[in-house]
Amino acid sequence: MSSSVLPGHPHIHHEGGHLHVEGVRLADLAAAHGTPLFVYSKAAMLAALGAYQRGFAGRKAKICYAMKANSSLGILQVFARAGCGFDIVSGGELERVLAAGGQPGDIIFSGVGKTRREMRRALEVSIACFNVESEAELDTLNAVAVEMGRTAPVSLRVNPDVDPKTHPYISTGLKGNKFGVAHDRALHAYRHAASLPGLRVVGIDCHIGSQITTTGPYLDAMDRVLDLVEAVEREGIPIHHIDFGGGLGITYNGEQPPAADALWQQILARLDARGHGHRALMIEPGRSLVGNAGLCLTEVLYLKPGTDKNFCIVDAAMNDLPRPAMYQAFHAIVPATPPQGASATYEVVGPVCESGDWIGHDRELAVRAGDLLAVLSAGAYCMSMASNYNTRGRAAEVLVDGDAAHLIRAREDAADQMRMERLLA
Ligand code: PLP
């Protein structure tokens, strides 16, 4: 029987026309759990993590998985067991890490709008570090920590004003973005932080954007951050760790981002050359750890020929896969069951009542109703961004580990969706 690995997806292969993730046939998962269904390869996640671990071999470095990319508990467990810390951006994410068995001392807390309640809870469990994004936040965190008789470990997220050359919605390190403390205010902010009794300065961090596919922006950002480290330490404020954020891109449609180990070799060489090789390092990768480890399995509901376009209507939609509607993003779509019928060009669309509910434009497919398709590169920023729009239950999720398939999230039904609502008297 013919078997072929999908290019760029070593843990996904076709066998006799049937798509498999590791040793599991997707048609079997669809029969057992229904569609749309997110399916993740544990081996692919660990392989992606392994590239970072190789890049940091011999260094004092902590990889904190940016769980906004995919915050399902089963995914967090895989990374916690592999020794990762976590980059969180909300109190909800904090509770998820704890529920998945992550250690508070391995958590860093990013985000421009932390509330007092979130700060209190994070201090209560003693997280590793608050990545503070403004001078006003320094004051609030100080007040909360003093009130609790605690000292909050802080790193300042500086905005290096570097163009990551990615989609504007996922650029975060430019002057005009809401993120971080402006580079030219950072020294002042560090002096302020060091003067506050409830804070202890421990680090510096930056994050310039997401889906970055070239090395240059990272090196530019690092130079800007190191300039600041040197300036801050000249003031007698020691910086214990440097956190370079996340942002490394993945291949959705022919992009060729550097491999994580190759990227870090270059960054570390620059760090060494500037005399900072001894520093403790942190990074916050999200997409590059899970993006290509996941796919969304969907069933073809109807084929609808049109005068201008043919539509292939599937049971996944923009509420499951929001990236096309949000960023005009591309996801490859491949057959998961043996192709049938004549090949034609389709707009692949979901059932949601929006013309923005598209999953792929102009896709050449040989399909009939009832066939299964796999929307690739759906491990990151899909399930974690999924909504209930049109009162659609969120999809189920399965984690594949070799020949075993673990249901890590059951499909949401209408009762689940209405549970928090109250009828009028
Ligand atoms: N760290 C911070 C502060 C972020 O805002 C993000 C994403 O926007 C990440 C890490 C993860 O980025 P990525 O998923 O591109 O690696």
Side-chain angles (χ1 to χ4, degrees):
M1 200 175 283
S2 68
S3 172
S4 60
V5 169
L6 281 193
H9 299 268
H11 301 92
I12 307 177
H13 70 279
H14 275 113
E15 202 170 303
H18 277 279
L19 198 63
H20 292 61
V21 168
E22 299 189 33
V24 175
R25 195 165 88 146
L26 295 181
D28 296 338
L29 291 181
H33 304 291
T35 53
L37 179 71
F38 283 95
V39 184
Y40 308 107
S41 156
K42 181 179 169 189
M45 290 161 58
L46 293 180
L49 177 62
Y52 280 100
Q53 288 167 330
R54 278 196 303 280
F56 286 121
R59 303 277 177 161
K60 259 189 298 178
K62 186 89 196 160
I63 300 167
C64 291
Y65 168 53
M67 60 181 284
K68 63 172 75 70
N70 187 321
S71 54
S72 300
L73 294 178
I75 302 289
L76 302 185
Q77 281 181 298
V78 171
F79 288 120
R81 290 174 186 175
C84 287
F86 295 92
D87 171 50
I88 65 166
V89 289
S90 73
E93 288 195 344
L94 172 57
E95 299 308 330
R96 279 186 172 273
V97 174
L98 300 179
Q103 296 305 310
D106 286 333
I107 297 174
I108 56 177
F109 194 169
S110 303
V112 292
K114 303 175 193 75
T115 64
R116 283 169 181 265
R117 182 202 292 246
E118 288 173 325
M119 290 173 177
R120 222 173 276 125
R121 176 71 176 140
L123 281 169
E124 201 173 270
V125 299
S126 299
I127 65 162
C129 184
F130 290 85
N131 288 353
V132 173
E133 302 222 13
S134 65
E135 292 171 68
E137 187 190 333
L138 282 176
D139 290 327
T140 301
L141 181 58
N142 174 62
V144 172
V146 167
E147 235 167 66
M148 294 175 69
R150 297 284 183 108
T151 310
V154 297
S155 161
L156 275 182
R157 175 172 176 178
V158 297
N159 184 332
D161 194 22
V162 163
D163 185 355
K165 302 195 167 45
T166 184
H167 191 285
Y169 284 9
I170 49 176
S171 290
T172 58
L174 281 164
K175 237 185 213 159
N177 296 135
K178 69 179 175 180
F179 300 99
V181 176
H183 195 269
D184 51 10
R185 281 295 294 179
L187 196 53
H188 179 269
Y190 267 105
R191 284 189 202 117
H192 185 51
S195 74
L196 295 172
L199 306 184
R200 176 167 44 92
V201 171
V202 295
I204 189 164
D205 62 285
C206 76
H207 174 81
I208 55 174
S210 199
Q211 188 53 15
I212 301 169
T213 53
T214 55
T215 309
Y218 278 106
L219 294 174
D220 293 347
M222 198 195 60
D223 274 332
R224 304 270 289 162
V225 167
L226 291 182
D227 292 345
L228 268 177
V229 169
E230 290 163 5
V232 171
E233 292 202 328
R234 276 198 297 273
E235 302 260 328
I237 305 170
I239 300 285
H240 298 288
H241 75 251
I242 305 178
D243 172 354
F244 286 113
L248 180 58
I250 61 170
T251 304
Y252 287 100
N253 186 22
E255 303 90 333
Q256 293 186 315
D261 44 356
L263 171 70
W264 280 96
Q265 257 166 27
Q266 285 195 54
I267 298 179
L268 292 171
R270 178 78 68 97
L271 202 69
D272 291 345
R274 287 197 53 174
H276 292 273
H278 60 288
R279 302 265 176 197
L281 303 172
M282 281 193 193
I283 50 159
E284 307 163 3
R287 186 191 311 271
S288 51
L289 291 183
V290 288
N292 270 333
L295 56 80
C296 182
L297 190 59
T298 183
E299 184 181 318
V300 176
L301 297 175
Y302 304 102
L303 297 179
K304 185 173 171 179
T307 39
D308 291 343
K309 289 174 174 178
N310 298 313
F311 292 97
C312 171
I313 302 168
V314 297
D315 66 359
M318 64 187 291
N319 71 301
D320 307 297
L321 295 161
R323 298 185 63 259
M326 265 183 95
Y327 315 115
Q328 297 77 49
F330 178 95
H331 286 273
I333 303 172
V334 299
T337 40
Q340 302 194 63
S343 177
T345 304
Y346 291 101
E347 288 291 292
V348 180
V349 300
V352 162
C353 300
E354 299 271 346
S355 292
D357 179 27
W358 59 275
I359 295 171
H361 294 310
D362 295 330
R363 302 304 173 90
E364 196 68 24
L365 295 166
V367 278
R368 292 194 184 149
D371 286 357
L372 295 172
L373 295 172
V375 181
L376 302 184
S377 311
Y381 302 110
C382 292
M383 190 64 194
S384 58
M385 285 182 156
S387 77
N388 291 124
Y389 187 40
N390 281 201
T391 306
R392 287 169 52 86
R394 282 177 299 169
E397 293 177 293
V398 166
L399 180 76
V400 170
D401 182 8
D403 292 336
H406 305 278
L407 183 69
I408 58 168
R409 183 194 295 262
R411 186 170 304 286
E412 204 172 28
D413 64 18
D416 294 328
Q417 292 183 61
M418 292 186 281
R419 184 156 299 131
M420 301 306 290
E421 298 181 43
R422 302 291 177 265
L423 290 169
L424 297 176

